[in-house]
Amino acid sequence: MTTDAHDTTPTDHLRRILPPATVLLAPAPPHTVPLRAPAGVWGLVVVAVRMTPAAGAPVRFAGDDPTPDPAHTDTTDLMAGVWLLAPPPADLHTGDVVVRLHPLADADPDLVDVEVLAATKGQWQPLRTWHGVDARWPHHIAESVALHMTYLAECALSDAQWAIVARPMASAMPGWQEFGLEPAETPGVAPDRPAHDALAALITAGLIGENERLELNHHKAIVGAGGGVYLKRTNPFDVGTLTYLAAELCGCAVNGWHLWRRADDHRLLADLRTELATH
């Protein structure tokens, strides 16, 4: 069993807005941290990870190792995720980071191999595997997971900005390649970027509409054309994405799909994305 993410102090607003199915990996007593996935489960998509001050603490004495030992130091004060029964389509889950737990060959029940994957370029790409770690494995992987979640969120933001701002401008400019924009396969035609996430696909499928209102705790946002997300309607160029905006609001690496809800019926956008993938 794992600790309920909502069994927490009232001062931690992020932990209080995690979805009900969330598994809390840190802070959690070691005996509650899973060393095996439940039967029939593929992996755990990371919803939030927040590093502790100790993880980035400066060296205080000559000769000290600037990198804390995760076997003895709590490098994260929050890591949480949601179990996935099967590998979802990577193209719809671009930017998601997933943890998979693999038993050791000698079946030692107290140790586990921890594999981290990310959905990128239409595939579930392996990032790194930690071999033979104990119940403190969340602290071993936290920094790498946070860095990859942040990097993928920034890539998605860049793609969204290209779709809203740069691509129409480039298409309208003769000889736009001279301005350092990405080369087109056909001269004079601005290149396509891959979709930054599945929100545009949800709009196309009619599961969410342009100008639909979203909510994350007390924060509000608006769905824009092409799957961009806006905190305000007033500036069409101030585009964001579900995960990038959620991370900005929460102050750490998060998966916005599991935090934003459709305002009208309070459904998680992750549930809408699952509905799209299964129909």
Side-chain angles (χ1 to χ4, degrees), residues 82 138 205:
V82 173

Side-chain angles (χ1 to χ4, degrees), residues 2 19 39 43 56 80 82 84 95 114-115 153 159 187 211 254-255 259 264 272 275:
T2 50
V82 173
L84 300 173
V114 182
E115 180 187 21
D159 291 340
N211 299 317
V254 298
N255 185 318
L259 297 178
D264 288 347
L272 296 178
E275 183 176 332

Side-chain angles (χ1 to χ4, degrees), residues 186-270:
T186 304
V189 177
D192 288 321
R193 287 278 188 98
H196 47 275
D197 59 31
L199 193 55
L202 262 65
I203 295 173
T204 300
L207 292 173
I208 201 164
E210 292 181 18
N211 299 317
E212 189 109 33
R213 293 177 298 114
L214 307 176
E215 58 184 16
L216 190 165
N217 201 10
H218 61 278
H219 301 289
K220 308 296 181 183
I222 304 292
V223 176
V229 183
Y230 300 86
L231 291 179
K232 296 180 180 179
R233 295 177 183 268
T234 53
N235 186 354
F237 299 109
D238 191 17
V239 65
T241 65
L242 292 175
T243 288
Y244 188 87
L245 286 182
E248 288 284 294
L249 296 172
C250 295
C252 64
V254 298
N255 185 318
W257 285 89
H258 293 270
L259 297 178
W260 287 105
R261 295 178 180 271
R262 193 165 57 183
D264 288 347
D265 57 8
H266 307 292
R267 286 192 67 188
L268 278 175
L269 295 197

